[in-house]
Amino acid sequence: MSDIFFSKLWKTISKGMVWRGEICNQSKSGKLIWLDTTIIPSIDSTGKIVRYTAIRQNATERKLLETQLWAMNEMQRAILAGANYSIISTDTQGTIQTFNQAAEKMLGYPANEMIGEKTFLILHDPKEITKRAELLTQELKIPVQPGLEAIVAKARLKQEDENEWIYIRKDGTELPVKVSTTAIYDKNGILSGFLGISRDISESNRISKELIARKEEAIAASKTKSAFLANMSHEIRTPMNGIIGMTHLLLTETHESNNVEKLKIIQNCSVSLLELINDILDFSKLEAEKIELEMTPFSIHSVTLEMMELLKPRASEKGIQLVYQNADHPLSWITGDVTRFKQILTNLVANAIKFTESGSVEIFSTATHVAEKEWKIQFSVKDTGIGIPEDVKNKLFLPFSQVDASTTRRFGGSGLGLAISKGLCDKMGGTISVESEVGKGSTFSFTFNAPEAQPLNSTSDQNAFAGFDPEMGKKFPLRILIAEDNQTNQLVIKGLLGKIGYYPDLVSNGKEVLDILEKKKYDLVLMDCHMPDIDGFEATQQIIAKLGKSSCPMIFALSASKMKEDIDRCYASGMNGFLEKPIVIRSLIKVLFECSQKII
Ligand code: ADP
């Protein structure tokens, strides 16, 4: 204790006055001892101080408590002052008791204006309070009055609660915050108030709004891109239809070997070009997540053999043996997307033939039972070709990747096939992988799960029309109308139908279809979707509205666009089916047969 302290003490008692205060002594062990001390001077009759009486009481414990209390208060003050969060406490009636500096900054009110006011009258929009009360009613399953009760009810459950609120600032602007509300209880466990700690989330809201906007922009851009690709592929497919169809017709009419050779080259080139266009379209659809699987029953072995028939000429040209091993495959009929299955397998087998100079390409298939009537099917395509270096194996399934540029020049290809196959396998819930050794060969394998299916009676499509019957028109007569604005396409489809004994009428827009149907009856209309004046969709709707569904001819769309939306649109307008351009004679025959069966 300082000299000043003692001199003051001495001044008091030497004047004969009583001194009261705290004196701090140090014990022998060095511990501080506080004493509540009263010093009383005794004065004799002459007024002289004769003695001092000191009354002391140990106050060390109290002093310690006081120090702790002070430290806690100081800490509380520092927290309130230093926190970046707005801290507001209220009593049970919502009357503000604490309003820290961050709250002043966030809300624009000085603390002295707020203390004693009610939070829900100043800081909250009444509509928001009502909304919260409703939410709470649902949560608690008891009615909660708007206003304070909402918080009280929550606090009664002793729950801590972080919610998004909108505070209203002094200037009237809104401030989105995340508030965590805690109930405060007195020493008897009775609710005495609430503490709300809030942080400003306007910035994170702004960022997430910006992110959402960017995501939406990206989705829109991707949609535009896939619409563009679909449109382009439609535009390219239409003239391709003309080239492929006309070449096909010329090949059936030409007998000069020189010209047949040239026509075959045109045919091969146009088929490759069409494959490329289809790859780009498929890839863009996978990217835009627009591929839908079409589940139908089919025989895995028949489809594989069919695919082999198509690829056999390529293999024989190189002297490569093409073999199918399916001894370990106990089932044949499954339900799945036959087109996509064929596409993956064709890609793997075509690659195997492409990258093999001699030896063999073997296809293995196995099926393992995974659940009741559910199978895991695996196909492997093993070749004795050039093989793939280890470091590029994993990149093969990424788009546009080829082993090296010289390979590309020697063998051609877009580098999309495996990326598409991977995308399709993923979609089918399966996997695709490769094992390979440079110079020895590669084995590509893919799996997918599928339920087993009942074998279908296949007389309707496959067997009845395996060949090309020029008398079909006589056996299954049909009155056919073609609505197509492109003259080349008109000639192609007319020519194709002529080959199998059908002689259709031709019109070139929707209006002409409606006019001719007033005068003449047809069994089948092959309708181009995109035509001037009245397009195929609208023409179909008008025909159905006019004639009624029962006396309406069958209407099949002819379209170069294979996007799902376009196919859906055909069905939505009332069409019975869809024929894809370039028209494949087999699909056309199938449609004609179906129609002839329906009109009997
Ligand atoms: P594309 O064959 O059209 O270029 P793919 O995606 O089908 O595209 O194949 C990508 C690349 O993978 C090929 O260019 C080739 O380098 C390599 N590849 C694919 N299959 C084989 C195979 N069986 N043997 C060797 N290399 C292969």
Side-chain angles (χ1 to χ4, degrees), residues 499-525:
K499 293 276 158 208
I500 45 177
Y502 291 98
Y503 303 96
D505 289 341
L506 286 170
V507 289
S508 47
N509 61 49
K511 187 168 178 316
E512 287 176 17
V513 177
L514 294 167
D515 290 346
I516 201 164
L517 281 177
E518 301 237 311
K519 296 174 220 137
K520 221 171 149 182
K521 259 186 109 53
Y522 289 94
D523 303 309
L524 171 66
V525 180

PDB file of all heavy atoms in Angstrom, residues 499-525:
ATOM      1  N   LYS A 499     -39.887 -48.819-104.228  1.00  0.00           N
ATOM      2  CA  LYS A 499     -39.124 -50.078-104.235  1.00  0.00           C
ATOM      3  C   LYS A 499     -39.901 -51.222-103.593  1.00  0.00           C
ATOM      4  O   LYS A 499     -39.630 -52.387-103.848  1.00  0.00           O
ATOM      5  CB  LYS A 499     -37.807 -49.907-103.445  1.00  0.00           C
ATOM      6  CG  LYS A 499     -36.831 -48.976-104.081  1.00  0.00           C
ATOM      7  CD  LYS A 499     -36.014 -49.700-105.122  1.00  0.00           C
ATOM      8  CE  LYS A 499     -35.433 -48.705-106.113  1.00  0.00           C
ATOM      9  NZ  LYS A 499     -35.204 -49.244-107.430  1.00  0.00           N
ATOM     10  N   ILE A 500     -40.816 -50.888-102.690  1.00  0.00           N
ATOM     11  CA  ILE A 500     -41.555 -51.953-102.019  1.00  0.00           C
ATOM     12  C   ILE A 500     -43.051 -51.946-102.401  1.00  0.00           C
ATOM     13  O   ILE A 500     -43.897 -52.483-101.695  1.00  0.00           O
ATOM     14  CB  ILE A 500     -41.372 -51.892-100.478  1.00  0.00           C
ATOM     15  CG1 ILE A 500     -41.510 -50.470 -99.966  1.00  0.00           C
ATOM     16  CG2 ILE A 500     -40.043 -52.483-100.065  1.00  0.00           C
ATOM     17  CD1 ILE A 500     -41.409 -50.327 -98.476  1.00  0.00           C
ATOM     18  N   GLY A 501     -43.301 -51.268-103.526  1.00  0.00           N
ATOM     19  CA  GLY A 501     -44.628 -51.368-104.123  1.00  0.00           C
ATOM     20  C   GLY A 501     -45.681 -50.411-103.580  1.00  0.00           C
ATOM     21  O   GLY A 501     -46.875 -50.701-103.638  1.00  0.00           O
ATOM     22  N   TYR A 502     -45.266 -49.265-103.082  1.00  0.00           N
ATOM     23  CA  TYR A 502     -46.247 -48.263-102.637  1.00  0.00           C
ATOM     24  C   TYR A 502     -46.092 -47.014-103.490  1.00  0.00           C
ATOM     25  O   TYR A 502     -44.968 -46.598-103.801  1.00  0.00           O
ATOM     26  CB  TYR A 502     -46.020 -47.895-101.161  1.00  0.00           C
ATOM     27  CG  TYR A 502     -46.360 -49.004-100.196  1.00  0.00           C
ATOM     28  CD1 TYR A 502     -45.359 -49.820 -99.690  1.00  0.00           C
ATOM     29  CD2 TYR A 502     -47.683 -49.233 -99.798  1.00  0.00           C
ATOM     30  CE1 TYR A 502     -45.662 -50.850 -98.811  1.00  0.00           C
ATOM     31  CE2 TYR A 502     -47.985 -50.251 -98.924  1.00  0.00           C
ATOM     32  CZ  TYR A 502     -46.980 -51.060 -98.425  1.00  0.00           C
ATOM     33  OH  TYR A 502     -47.281 -52.067 -97.566  1.00  0.00           O
ATOM     34  N   TYR A 503     -47.231 -46.393-103.845  1.00  0.00           N
ATOM     35  CA  TYR A 503     -47.176 -45.210-104.712  1.00  0.00           C
ATOM     36  C   TYR A 503     -47.930 -44.079-104.026  1.00  0.00           C
ATOM     37  O   TYR A 503     -49.136 -43.916-104.203  1.00  0.00           O
ATOM     38  CB  TYR A 503     -47.730 -45.562-106.103  1.00  0.00           C
ATOM     39  CG  TYR A 503     -46.931 -46.721-106.654  1.00  0.00           C
ATOM     40  CD1 TYR A 503     -47.395 -48.042-106.524  1.00  0.00           C
ATOM     41  CD2 TYR A 503     -45.665 -46.505-107.203  1.00  0.00           C
ATOM     42  CE1 TYR A 503     -46.610 -49.107-106.943  1.00  0.00           C
ATOM     43  CE2 TYR A 503     -44.880 -47.567-107.627  1.00  0.00           C
ATOM     44  CZ  TYR A 503     -45.361 -48.867-107.484  1.00  0.00           C
ATOM     45  OH  TYR A 503     -44.572 -49.909-107.872  1.00  0.00           O
ATOM     46  N   PRO A 504     -47.221 -43.292-103.216  1.00  0.00           N
ATOM     47  CA  PRO A 504     -47.897 -42.285-102.382  1.00  0.00           C
ATOM     48  C   PRO A 504     -48.247 -41.015-103.156  1.00  0.00           C
ATOM     49  O   PRO A 504     -47.692 -40.767-104.224  1.00  0.00           O
ATOM     50  CB  PRO A 504     -46.825 -41.958-101.344  1.00  0.00           C
ATOM     51  CG  PRO A 504     -45.542 -42.194-102.058  1.00  0.00           C
ATOM     52  CD  PRO A 504     -45.765 -43.304-103.026  1.00  0.00           C
ATOM     53  N   ASP A 505     -49.173 -40.218-102.590  1.00  0.00           N
ATOM     54  CA  ASP A 505     -49.402 -38.856-103.093  1.00  0.00           C
ATOM     55  C   ASP A 505     -48.460 -37.934-102.338  1.00  0.00           C
ATOM     56  O   ASP A 505     -48.089 -38.208-101.195  1.00  0.00           O
ATOM     57  CB  ASP A 505     -50.854 -38.430-102.814  1.00  0.00           C
ATOM     58  CG  ASP A 505     -51.835 -39.181-103.708  1.00  0.00           C
ATOM     59  OD1 ASP A 505     -51.377 -39.721-104.750  1.00  0.00           O
ATOM     60  OD2 ASP A 505     -53.035 -39.247-103.364  1.00  0.00           O
ATOM     61  N   LEU A 506     -48.160 -36.812-103.006  1.00  0.00           N
ATOM     62  CA  LEU A 506     -47.212 -35.877-102.378  1.00  0.00           C
ATOM     63  C   LEU A 506     -47.836 -34.494-102.218  1.00  0.00           C
ATOM     64  O   LEU A 506     -48.478 -34.003-103.150  1.00  0.00           O
ATOM     65  CB  LEU A 506     -45.993 -35.705-103.286  1.00  0.00           C
ATOM     66  CG  LEU A 506     -44.994 -36.845-103.348  1.00  0.00           C
ATOM     67  CD1 LEU A 506     -44.001 -36.600-104.471  1.00  0.00           C
ATOM     68  CD2 LEU A 506     -44.243 -36.926-102.023  1.00  0.00           C
ATOM     69  N   VAL A 507     -47.656 -33.885-101.064  1.00  0.00           N
ATOM     70  CA  VAL A 507     -47.993 -32.466-100.888  1.00  0.00           C
ATOM     71  C   VAL A 507     -46.823 -31.806-100.163  1.00  0.00           C
ATOM     72  O   VAL A 507     -45.977 -32.508 -99.598  1.00  0.00           O
ATOM     73  CB  VAL A 507     -49.291 -32.250-100.056  1.00  0.00           C
ATOM     74  CG1 VAL A 507     -50.522 -32.649-100.828  1.00  0.00           C
ATOM     75  CG2 VAL A 507     -49.212 -32.985 -98.728  1.00  0.00           C
ATOM     76  N   SER A 508     -46.770 -30.449-100.198  1.00  0.00           N
ATOM     77  CA  SER A 508     -45.561 -29.861 -99.630  1.00  0.00           C
ATOM     78  C   SER A 508     -45.775 -28.905 -98.461  1.00  0.00           C
ATOM     79  O   SER A 508     -44.842 -28.238 -98.044  1.00  0.00           O
ATOM     80  CB  SER A 508     -44.733 -29.193-100.726  1.00  0.00           C
ATOM     81  OG  SER A 508     -45.564 -28.407-101.512  1.00  0.00           O
ATOM     82  N   ASN A 509     -46.977 -28.850 -97.916  1.00  0.00           N
ATOM     83  CA  ASN A 509     -47.128 -28.128 -96.644  1.00  0.00           C
ATOM     84  C   ASN A 509     -48.409 -28.548 -95.927  1.00  0.00           C
ATOM     85  O   ASN A 509     -49.240 -29.268 -96.495  1.00  0.00           O
ATOM     86  CB  ASN A 509     -47.091 -26.602 -96.843  1.00  0.00           C
ATOM     87  CG  ASN A 509     -48.211 -26.102 -97.723  1.00  0.00           C
ATOM     88  OD1 ASN A 509     -49.374 -26.444 -97.513  1.00  0.00           O
ATOM     89  ND2 ASN A 509     -47.857 -25.312 -98.717  1.00  0.00           N
ATOM     90  N   GLY A 510     -48.557 -28.065 -94.701  1.00  0.00           N
ATOM     91  CA  GLY A 510     -49.666 -28.489 -93.860  1.00  0.00           C
ATOM     92  C   GLY A 510     -51.027 -28.118 -94.443  1.00  0.00           C
ATOM     93  O   GLY A 510     -51.999 -28.854 -94.311  1.00  0.00           O
ATOM     94  N   LYS A 511     -51.063 -26.962 -95.110  1.00  0.00           N
ATOM     95  CA  LYS A 511     -52.340 -26.504 -95.660  1.00  0.00           C
ATOM     96  C   LYS A 511     -52.800 -27.467 -96.761  1.00  0.00           C
ATOM     97  O   LYS A 511     -53.985 -27.849 -96.837  1.00  0.00           O
ATOM     98  CB  LYS A 511     -52.174 -25.079 -96.208  1.00  0.00           C
ATOM     99  CG  LYS A 511     -53.486 -24.511 -96.625  1.00  0.00           C
ATOM    100  CD  LYS A 511     -53.457 -23.049 -96.908  1.00  0.00           C
ATOM    101  CE  LYS A 511     -54.832 -22.598 -97.375  1.00  0.00           C
ATOM    102  NZ  LYS A 511     -55.454 -23.477 -98.340  1.00  0.00           N
ATOM    103  N   GLU A 512     -51.830 -27.879 -97.590  1.00  0.00           N
ATOM    104  CA  GLU A 512     -52.171 -28.813 -98.672  1.00  0.00           C
ATOM    105  C   GLU A 512     -52.649 -30.158 -98.110  1.00  0.00           C
ATOM    106  O   GLU A 512     -53.515 -30.798 -98.687  1.00  0.00           O
ATOM    107  CB  GLU A 512     -50.963 -29.015 -99.593  1.00  0.00           C
ATOM    108  CG  GLU A 512     -50.702 -27.800-100.480  1.00  0.00           C
ATOM    109  CD  GLU A 512     -49.446 -27.944-101.340  1.00  0.00           C
ATOM    110  OE1 GLU A 512     -48.953 -29.085-101.509  1.00  0.00           O
ATOM    111  OE2 GLU A 512     -48.955 -26.913-101.814  1.00  0.00           O
ATOM    112  N   VAL A 513     -52.077 -30.552 -96.967  1.00  0.00           N
ATOM    113  CA  VAL A 513     -52.519 -31.806 -96.328  1.00  0.00           C
ATOM    114  C   VAL A 513     -54.002 -31.686 -95.980  1.00  0.00           C
ATOM    115  O   VAL A 513     -54.816 -32.550 -96.308  1.00  0.00           O
ATOM    116  CB  VAL A 513     -51.724 -32.099 -95.030  1.00  0.00           C
ATOM    117  CG1 VAL A 513     -52.237 -33.363 -94.355  1.00  0.00           C
ATOM    118  CG2 VAL A 513     -50.252 -32.217 -95.303  1.00  0.00           C
ATOM    119  N   LEU A 514     -54.341 -30.546 -95.319  1.00  0.00           N
ATOM    120  CA  LEU A 514     -55.731 -30.362 -94.882  1.00  0.00           C
ATOM    121  C   LEU A 514     -56.671 -30.340 -96.090  1.00  0.00           C
ATOM    122  O   LEU A 514     -57.736 -30.961 -96.062  1.00  0.00           O
ATOM    123  CB  LEU A 514     -55.858 -29.063 -94.072  1.00  0.00           C
ATOM    124  CG  LEU A 514     -55.096 -29.064 -92.739  1.00  0.00           C
ATOM    125  CD1 LEU A 514     -55.010 -27.666 -92.160  1.00  0.00           C
ATOM    126  CD2 LEU A 514     -55.783 -30.000 -91.753  1.00  0.00           C
ATOM    127  N   ASP A 515     -56.231 -29.666 -97.171  1.00  0.00           N
ATOM    128  CA  ASP A 515     -57.079 -29.589 -98.379  1.00  0.00           C
ATOM    129  C   ASP A 515     -57.314 -30.972 -98.977  1.00  0.00           C
ATOM    130  O   ASP A 515     -58.454 -31.350 -99.268  1.00  0.00           O
ATOM    131  CB  ASP A 515     -56.414 -28.689 -99.435  1.00  0.00           C
ATOM    132  CG  ASP A 515     -56.443 -27.234 -98.995  1.00  0.00           C
ATOM    133  OD1 ASP A 515     -57.204 -26.939 -98.026  1.00  0.00           O
ATOM    134  OD2 ASP A 515     -55.713 -26.406 -99.568  1.00  0.00           O
ATOM    135  N   ILE A 516     -56.234 -31.729 -99.134  1.00  0.00           N
ATOM    136  CA  ILE A 516     -56.368 -33.014 -99.831  1.00  0.00           C
ATOM    137  C   ILE A 516     -57.176 -34.012 -98.993  1.00  0.00           C
ATOM    138  O   ILE A 516     -57.920 -34.836 -99.535  1.00  0.00           O
ATOM    139  CB  ILE A 516     -54.986 -33.565-100.266  1.00  0.00           C
ATOM    140  CG1 ILE A 516     -55.169 -34.581-101.408  1.00  0.00           C
ATOM    141  CG2 ILE A 516     -54.230 -34.216 -99.145  1.00  0.00           C
ATOM    142  CD1 ILE A 516     -53.899 -34.896-102.157  1.00  0.00           C
ATOM    143  N   LEU A 517     -57.057 -33.879 -97.652  1.00  0.00           N
ATOM    144  CA  LEU A 517     -57.807 -34.812 -96.789  1.00  0.00           C
ATOM    145  C   LEU A 517     -59.321 -34.574 -96.859  1.00  0.00           C
ATOM    146  O   LEU A 517     -60.112 -35.426 -96.505  1.00  0.00           O
ATOM    147  CB  LEU A 517     -57.322 -34.718 -95.342  1.00  0.00           C
ATOM    148  CG  LEU A 517     -56.022 -35.461 -95.027  1.00  0.00           C
ATOM    149  CD1 LEU A 517     -55.615 -35.233 -93.589  1.00  0.00           C
ATOM    150  CD2 LEU A 517     -56.162 -36.962 -95.277  1.00  0.00           C
ATOM    151  N   GLU A 518     -59.711 -33.367 -97.328  1.00  0.00           N
ATOM    152  CA  GLU A 518     -61.149 -33.078 -97.495  1.00  0.00           C
ATOM    153  C   GLU A 518     -61.716 -33.914 -98.645  1.00  0.00           C
ATOM    154  O   GLU A 518     -62.877 -34.268 -98.671  1.00  0.00           O
ATOM    155  CB  GLU A 518     -61.345 -31.601 -97.855  1.00  0.00           C
ATOM    156  CG  GLU A 518     -60.785 -30.677 -96.796  1.00  0.00           C
ATOM    157  CD  GLU A 518     -61.830 -29.735 -96.256  1.00  0.00           C
ATOM    158  OE1 GLU A 518     -62.523 -29.122 -97.073  1.00  0.00           O
ATOM    159  OE2 GLU A 518     -61.918 -29.635 -95.003  1.00  0.00           O
ATOM    160  N   LYS A 519     -60.809 -34.187 -99.635  1.00  0.00           N
ATOM    161  CA  LYS A 519     -61.291 -34.853-100.866  1.00  0.00           C
ATOM    162  C   LYS A 519     -60.995 -36.337-100.880  1.00  0.00           C
ATOM    163  O   LYS A 519     -61.678 -37.114-101.520  1.00  0.00           O
ATOM    164  CB  LYS A 519     -60.602 -34.211-102.078  1.00  0.00           C
ATOM    165  CG  LYS A 519     -60.972 -32.743-102.250  1.00  0.00           C
ATOM    166  CD  LYS A 519     -60.146 -32.114-103.372  1.00  0.00           C
ATOM    167  CE  LYS A 519     -59.696 -30.703-103.000  1.00  0.00           C
ATOM    168  NZ  LYS A 519     -58.333 -30.407-103.341  1.00  0.00           N
ATOM    169  N   LYS A 520     -59.920 -36.747-100.227  1.00  0.00           N
ATOM    170  CA  LYS A 520     -59.461 -38.123-100.421  1.00  0.00           C
ATOM    171  C   LYS A 520     -59.180 -38.777 -99.074  1.00  0.00           C
ATOM    172  O   LYS A 520     -58.806 -38.091 -98.125  1.00  0.00           O
ATOM    173  CB  LYS A 520     -58.149 -38.045-101.224  1.00  0.00           C
ATOM    174  CG  LYS A 520     -58.046 -39.113-102.294  1.00  0.00           C
ATOM    175  CD  LYS A 520     -56.850 -38.861-103.180  1.00  0.00           C
ATOM    176  CE  LYS A 520     -56.346 -40.221-103.647  1.00  0.00           C
ATOM    177  NZ  LYS A 520     -55.169 -40.109-104.468  1.00  0.00           N
ATOM    178  N   LYS A 521     -59.340 -40.110 -99.048  1.00  0.00           N
ATOM    179  CA  LYS A 521     -59.073 -40.825 -97.788  1.00  0.00           C
ATOM    180  C   LYS A 521     -57.692 -41.460 -97.837  1.00  0.00           C
ATOM    181  O   LYS A 521     -57.279 -41.981 -98.874  1.00  0.00           O
ATOM    182  CB  LYS A 521     -60.123 -41.942 -97.609  1.00  0.00           C
ATOM    183  CG  LYS A 521     -61.220 -41.539 -96.630  1.00  0.00           C
ATOM    184  CD  LYS A 521     -62.132 -42.684 -96.360  1.00  0.00           C
ATOM    185  CE  LYS A 521     -62.048 -43.283 -95.028  1.00  0.00           C
ATOM    186  NZ  LYS A 521     -62.098 -42.913 -93.824  1.00  0.00           N
ATOM    187  N   TYR A 522     -56.978 -41.413 -96.700  1.00  0.00           N
ATOM    188  CA  TYR A 522     -55.655 -42.056 -96.625  1.00  0.00           C
ATOM    189  C   TYR A 522     -55.598 -42.934 -95.385  1.00  0.00           C
ATOM    190  O   TYR A 522     -56.317 -42.694 -94.409  1.00  0.00           O
ATOM    191  CB  TYR A 522     -54.552 -40.992 -96.546  1.00  0.00           C
ATOM    192  CG  TYR A 522     -54.370 -40.258 -97.843  1.00  0.00           C
ATOM    193  CD1 TYR A 522     -55.039 -39.059 -98.074  1.00  0.00           C
ATOM    194  CD2 TYR A 522     -53.550 -40.772 -98.850  1.00  0.00           C
ATOM    195  CE1 TYR A 522     -54.901 -38.395 -99.272  1.00  0.00           C
ATOM    196  CE2 TYR A 522     -53.404 -40.112-100.060  1.00  0.00           C
ATOM    197  CZ  TYR A 522     -54.082 -38.921-100.268  1.00  0.00           C
ATOM    198  OH  TYR A 522     -53.940 -38.272-101.453  1.00  0.00           O
ATOM    199  N   ASP A 523     -54.711 -43.950 -95.473  1.00  0.00           N
ATOM    200  CA  ASP A 523     -54.490 -44.780 -94.284  1.00  0.00           C
ATOM    201  C   ASP A 523     -53.325 -44.250 -93.456  1.00  0.00           C
ATOM    202  O   ASP A 523     -53.283 -44.415 -92.244  1.00  0.00           O
ATOM    203  CB  ASP A 523     -54.169 -46.227 -94.706  1.00  0.00           C
ATOM    204  CG  ASP A 523     -55.266 -46.798 -95.572  1.00  0.00           C
ATOM    205  OD1 ASP A 523     -56.434 -46.709 -95.153  1.00  0.00           O
ATOM    206  OD2 ASP A 523     -54.960 -47.285 -96.685  1.00  0.00           O
ATOM    207  N   LEU A 524     -52.388 -43.627 -94.169  1.00  0.00           N
ATOM    208  CA  LEU A 524     -51.179 -43.181 -93.469  1.00  0.00           C
ATOM    209  C   LEU A 524     -50.690 -41.856 -94.041  1.00  0.00           C
ATOM    210  O   LEU A 524     -50.617 -41.691 -95.260  1.00  0.00           O
ATOM    211  CB  LEU A 524     -50.081 -44.255 -93.646  1.00  0.00           C
ATOM    212  CG  LEU A 524     -48.673 -43.906 -93.171  1.00  0.00           C
ATOM    213  CD1 LEU A 524     -48.625 -43.745 -91.656  1.00  0.00           C
ATOM    214  CD2 LEU A 524     -47.667 -44.972 -93.594  1.00  0.00           C
ATOM    215  N   VAL A 525     -50.377 -40.918 -93.121  1.00  0.00           N
ATOM    216  CA  VAL A 525     -49.738 -39.665 -93.554  1.00  0.00           C
ATOM    217  C   VAL A 525     -48.334 -39.648 -92.958  1.00  0.00           C
ATOM    218  O   VAL A 525     -48.168 -39.823 -91.746  1.00  0.00           O
ATOM    219  CB  VAL A 525     -50.526 -38.420 -93.062  1.00  0.00           C
ATOM    220  CG1 VAL A 525     -49.847 -37.140 -93.536  1.00  0.00           C
ATOM    221  CG2 VAL A 525     -51.966 -38.465 -93.520  1.00  0.00           C
TER     222      VAL A 525
END
